[in-house]
Amino acid sequence: MALVPCQVLRAAILLSYCSILCNYKAIDMPAHQTYGGSWKFLTFIDLVIQAVFFGICVLTDLSSLLTRGNDSQEQERQLKKLISLRDWMMAVLAFPVGVFVVTMFWSIYIYDRELVYPKLLDNFIPAWLNHGMHTTVLPFVLIEMRTTHHQYPSRSCGLAAVCTFAVGYILWVCWIHHVTGVWVYPLLEHLSPGVKIIFFAAVTVIINIFYLMGEVLNNYIWDTQK
């Protein structure tokens, strides 16, 4: 795809995430007033990740347009740094976390929505906003992968970064329970301590699998093996 259509597409996606975040933060939900606020939910963290990522994408596109035909080596270095940051965020955060949020949310929702998204939330969150947080993330990140080739880090570094994020969030969830006595997700209330450990380990493995899937898909789309 040409640069300008991709540029417009990324800008539109960035605006949509800004709109979703603004509408979500404007909702007066009791959960927002408790310890950790919105930051205790992986969905909100993922929305911030996606917004920052697409913000960097738009900034990279603008920098690329401004430096085109310019012989400044300093500007070229800055552009390369932006591209490296964009690619790293796509590989380690935007794709694996985004795909994880969508697949895990809807899998548990279909099984028993009360375990992850109680019906009470329908009184606060409209359906379009729910899909904005838990559905459109997947097509948006796939569109970005299809329109731009991203250079993945070494597999060991990438997996280490993904594991660090996963373990960090799990520890954050456990800390919130330690402080408040309440689990962030109702699902955890129904698991014994031993099963919780297995569940957290499985979650870490799954998000690593999504990282590998992203790497394979990126290579397949852009045929980097050749």
Side-chain angles (χ1 to χ4, degrees):
M1 295 182 69
L3 176 62
V4 173
C6 293
Q7 190 178 30
V8 173
L9 187 61
R10 292 189 188 101
I13 293 174
L14 174 60
L15 290 174
S16 71
Y17 276 122
C18 290
S19 174
I20 291 169
L21 281 168
C22 289
N23 279 277
Y24 178 75
K25 291 298 292 182
I27 297 174
D28 185 20
M29 285 199 307
H32 290 175
Q33 313 303 323
T34 57
Y35 185 83
S38 302
W39 292 97
K40 58 178 169 283
F41 300 112
L42 185 59
T43 292
F44 179 78
I45 295 174
D46 178 51
L47 288 175
V48 174
I49 289 172
Q50 302 297 332
V52 171
F53 168 67
F54 279 99
I56 293 173
C57 288
V58 170
L59 184 59
T60 302
D61 286 340
L62 291 175
S63 299
S64 179
L65 288 172
L66 292 173
T67 57
R68 182 173 293 179
N70 193 323
D71 295 330
S72 172
Q73 293 184 351
E74 179 59 28
Q75 289 183 346
E76 285 292 332
R77 280 196 295 270
Q78 295 301 322
L79 178 59
K80 287 180 180 179
K81 288 181 180 178
L82 270 177
I83 292 173
S84 296
L85 177 59
R86 178 201 67 186
D87 291 350
W88 185 88
M89 279 204 69
M90 176 65 171
V92 173
L93 295 175
F95 186 88
V97 178
V99 175
F100 177 85
V101 166
V102 173
T103 54
M104 287 295 290
F105 174 82
W106 287 112
S107 296
I108 299 174
Y109 184 98
I110 291 171
Y111 174 74
D112 183 357
R113 67 169 295 177
E114 294 298 319
L115 296 176
V116 68
Y117 192 82
K119 199 168 183 178
L120 176 66
L121 292 178
D122 291 341
N123 298 323
F124 300 95
I125 303 176
W128 71 266
L129 186 55
N130 180 28
H131 284 291
M133 296 188 297
H134 298 115
T135 305
T136 58
V137 173
L138 181 57
F140 283 168
V141 78
L142 290 176
I143 288 171
E144 170 60 23
M145 181 170 281
R146 177 61 185 87
T147 56
T148 305
H149 173 249
H150 298 274
Q151 185 67 43
Y152 268 60
S154 66
R155 184 165 293 179
S156 58
C157 290
L159 290 174
V162 172
C163 281
T164 300
F165 174 85
V167 172
Y169 180 71
I170 289 170
L171 292 176
W172 172 231
V173 169
C174 292
W175 174 254
I176 292 172
H177 176 262
H178 172 74
V179 172
T180 65
V182 178
W183 288 104
V184 174
Y185 302 101
L187 168 66
L188 297 173
E189 300 282 358
H190 302 277
L191 303 180
S192 65
V195 176
K196 282 189 181 73
I197 294 174
I198 296 174
F199 176 78
F200 288 143
V203 162
T204 304
V205 170
I206 291 171
I207 199 168
N208 276 274
I209 290 174
F210 286 142
Y211 170 84
L212 295 174
M213 285 176 56
E215 183 182 33
V216 171
L217 183 59
N218 182 70
N219 290 341
Y220 175 77
I221 291 174
W222 296 98
D223 201 18
T224 55
Q225 296 302 321
K226 290 185 179 180

